[in-house]
Amino acid sequence: MGLSSYETSPLDDSAKVQAFTVPAHAPHHILRFRNVTVCHGRTPALEGVTLDIPCGSSTALLGPNGAGKSTLLRAILGWHPLVTGEILLGDAHPHHQLPRLAYLPQRQSIDWDFPITVRAVVEQGRYPSLRFFQRLSAHDHQRVDRALDELGLVELADRQISQLSGGQQQRVFLARALAQGADIFLLDEPFAGLDLLACEELTHLLRTWVMQGRTVLAAVHDLALARSGFNRGVLLDTTLVAAGPIAEVLSADNIDRAFRRGRAARQNPLHLSRTTEFPS
């Protein structure tokens, strides 16, 4: 994926812990799924999913590979047609409210060798609000500067993105989403490939956004990271297994249903016989 293609929705300018809470002023639900089914060919990727995402919440999308986590994010943006059901943003369909949404794709889908600076990537966040042949205004540059400052990228603004660490690269694309004015962030595996410090920094950033009333919905593989970094969870296995507070979603029974599907790993699954004696 080249950096000139947009992975976020056009935004207007109206958008503005260990245990952390949803802000009291927030509306109850911001995303609503009603009997949502999505198929890849004839194979269901999501089936009959009904759930609500509260505004100002931090929600981890969880489940085994192929459970439908990325599909759900892309369906919100209208990139996958729904076979059944509907997805509502508040009381409106998402395609009526795309200015509020921003999408961060998986890191491996981005061409990190593309010759572009940090500032130029963040400026892309303002492009959808421009008319044809219109240049960035002083207001646009201010939005870019604020996003760079909030993500701690001011000193890196003129550096090529290929020269950044994985955590810094991730922050560049989060800054691009901020520059657009997003307040709902759809993140596809944002922690993948990051070291411990980068994961901790990203977790702190997402918590801060939630405290500011922003909504985060992220596909996450690491269950321990989901427990410590998110206040809600959605557990998928094509169908909906559980949704709600993260501790309830990641109960032993729910994990068994979604990941083991009632099966247990054998101590010697390949029935191998020992041929070498190891010293005791």
Side-chain angles (χ1 to χ4, degrees), residues 68-82:
K69 301 183 295 293
S70 296
T71 298
L72 184 143
L73 293 175
R74 295 169 70 88
I76 295 171
L77 294 164
W79 295 352
H80 289 313
L82 305 186

Side-chain angles (χ1 to χ4, degrees), residues 96-161:
H96 295 154
Q97 295 290 335
L98 284 179
R100 306 186 66 185
L101 301 172
Y103 172 70
L104 183 72
Q106 295 184 18
R107 293 187 68 250
Q108 64 264 30
S109 66
I110 298 172
D111 180 6
W112 296 109
D113 293 321
F114 192 87
I116 190 170
T117 66
V118 169
R119 178 176 291 276
V121 172
V122 179
E123 286 177 346
Q124 289 180 346
R126 301 305 303 158
Y127 290 174
S129 64
L130 301 178
R131 296 186 295 273
F132 286 112
F133 304 111
Q134 182 182 2
R135 294 186 177 184
L136 295 177
S137 65
H139 172 70
D140 293 319
H141 286 295
Q142 289 173 359
R143 295 294 294 265
V144 171
D145 289 340
R146 287 202 299 268
L148 289 169
D149 182 61
E150 182 170 340
L151 272 295
L153 296 168
V154 173
E155 295 182 357
L156 303 175
D158 297 323
R159 190 174 297 185
Q160 295 286 318
I161 62 167

Side-chain angles (χ1 to χ4, degrees), residues 14-66:
S14 62
K16 241 206 183 347
V17 236
Q18 296 303 341
F20 48 97
T21 59
V22 176
H25 63 274
H28 190 205
H29 294 132
I30 193 65
L31 281 168
R32 306 162 189 262
F33 301 79
R34 295 294 179 265
N35 193 35
V36 169
T37 297
V38 176
C39 291
H40 298 324
R42 295 184 178 180
T43 303
L46 288 173
E47 189 170 7
V49 172
T50 295
L51 63 94
D52 296 317
I53 304 297
C55 182
S57 64
S58 178
T59 302
L61 291 176
L62 304 156
N65 291 335

Side-chain angles (χ1 to χ4, degrees), residues 56 132 148 165 227 258 261:
F132 286 112
L148 289 169
S165 68
R227 284 191 178 97
R261 297 169 183 144

